[in-house]
């Protein structure tokens, strides 16, 4: 078993989400984007199993392309959109967000929940811009410091896992520097981390540990995930997920 396949055994496609989020927040962000209609072409980057993709399709008439590097997630999303009768407007594909091979101006709206950290915020905003039609929108959710001076254990965790983490004012400056206008931004509720993400993930990691109790590699992968959840329980007051709704200048 490779470490990656062990990892995806914990982050299994049957989990409701692969990152923090909730339907209400997706809809709130969507409501900030003007004129989403039947001609709107949406690219959902790092779509995972598509919790937000399905919400976007159910609450707009837009056509959506989902991209994710993990094939089982893509298959799960395509199966769910077929079951919900949305397959004519959702097409999920396996792909790498770092090498998106579409002609320039192919999309009016790029959506990315809980996945922009993979490329880095500024790299993504600059790269994706060429895919956007003029004045197109980008909507992302990203982890941010919500309080200054996090305790050392919390700061050290994030410095190791994602040293690019910043506070919201710094993010707004970065957006400006990448030549986007911020239309709106808001903080996701604490429940968006727990209800559909860490709560089911905790069950998954607990069962995985038990099932693979004699396998050191598996225990190591489990310990990393457990650490992430434990840090959140201890220090969630210091960081949060923030939605940013932007328009290309
Ligand atoms: N938006 C989903 C998934 C977020 S987790 C949700 O909120 O549930 C991040 C996702 O990015 C995972 O599905 C992972 O498979 C995907 N991913 C990781 N690296 C990627 C890459 N290079 N290109 C495309 N997707 C990637």
């Amino acid at each position: 078993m490779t470490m990656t396949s062990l990892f995806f055994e914990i982050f299994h496609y049957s989990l409701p989400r692969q990152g923090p989020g909730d339907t209400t927040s997706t809809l709130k962000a969507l409501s900030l984007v003007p004129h989403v209609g039947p001609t709107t072409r949406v690219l959902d980057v790092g779509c995972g199993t598509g919790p937000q993709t399905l919400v976007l399709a159910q609450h707009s008439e837009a056509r959506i392309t989902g991209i994710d590097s993990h094939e089982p997630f893509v298959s799960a999303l395509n199966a769910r959109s077929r079951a919900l009768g949305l397959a004519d407007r959702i097409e999920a594909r396996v792909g790498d967000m770092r090498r998106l091979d579409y002609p320039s101006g192919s999309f009016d709206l790029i959506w990315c929940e809980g996945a922009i950290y993979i490329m880095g915020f500024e790299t993504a905003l600059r790269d994706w811009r060429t895919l956007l039609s003029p004045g197109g929108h980008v909507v992302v959710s990203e982890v941010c410091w919500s309080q200054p001076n996090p305790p050392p254990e919390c700061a050290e965790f994030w410095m190791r896992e994602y040293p690019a983490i910043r506070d919201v004012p710094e993010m707004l400056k970065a957006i400006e520097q990448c030549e986007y206008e911020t239309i709106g931004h808001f903080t996701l509720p604490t429940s968006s981390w727990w209800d559909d993400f860490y709560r089911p993930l905790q069950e998954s990691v607990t069962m995985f540990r038990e099932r693979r109790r004699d396998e050191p590699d598996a225990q190591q992968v489990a310990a990393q995930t457990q650490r992430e959840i434990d840090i959140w329980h201890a220090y969630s007051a210091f960081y949060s997920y923030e939605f940013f709704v932007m328009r290309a200048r």
Side-chain angles (χ1 to χ4, degrees), residues 18 46-48 51-52 68-70 73 95-98 113-114 118:
Q18 303 294 334
C47 59
Q52 71 290 312
D68 200 281
S69 55
H70 189 52
F73 290 172
D96 184 348
M97 64 170 85
R98 296 187 184 87
E113 286 196 32
I118 291 158

Side-chain angles (χ1 to χ4, degrees), residues 49-50 53-54 57 64 74-92:
T49 58
T53 327
L54 297 169
I64 310 172
V74 170
S75 296
L77 171 52
N78 283 326
R80 290 174 73 197
S81 31
R82 276 195 299 275
L84 292 166
L86 296 166
D88 56 330
R89 289 191 294 115
I90 296 177
E91 187 198 0

Side-chain angles (χ1 to χ4, degrees), residues 118-140:
I118 291 158
M119 271 181 82
F121 194 74
E122 279 96 330
T123 307
L125 287 189
R126 294 201 169 108
D127 272 24
W128 296 346
R129 164 177 225 104
T130 58
L131 301 176
L132 278 181
S133 55
H137 289 77
V138 175
V139 178
V140 308

Side-chain angles (χ1 to χ4, degrees), residues 7-8 11 15-21 44-53 67-71 73 93-100 111-119 141 196-197 241:
F7 174 86
F8 281 118
F11 288 81
L15 297 176
R17 307 192 72 97
Q18 303 294 334
D44 184 357
V45 182
C47 59
T49 58
Q52 71 290 312
T53 327
I67 290 288
D68 200 281
S69 55
H70 189 52
E71 193 281 328
F73 290 172
R93 293 185 186 173
V94 176
D96 184 348
M97 64 170 85
R98 296 187 184 87
R99 279 175 282 277
L100 292 169
W111 201 276
C112 182
E113 286 196 32
I116 195 169
Y117 72 91
I118 291 158
M119 271 181 82
S141 65
D196 281 346
F197 184 40
Y241 245 73

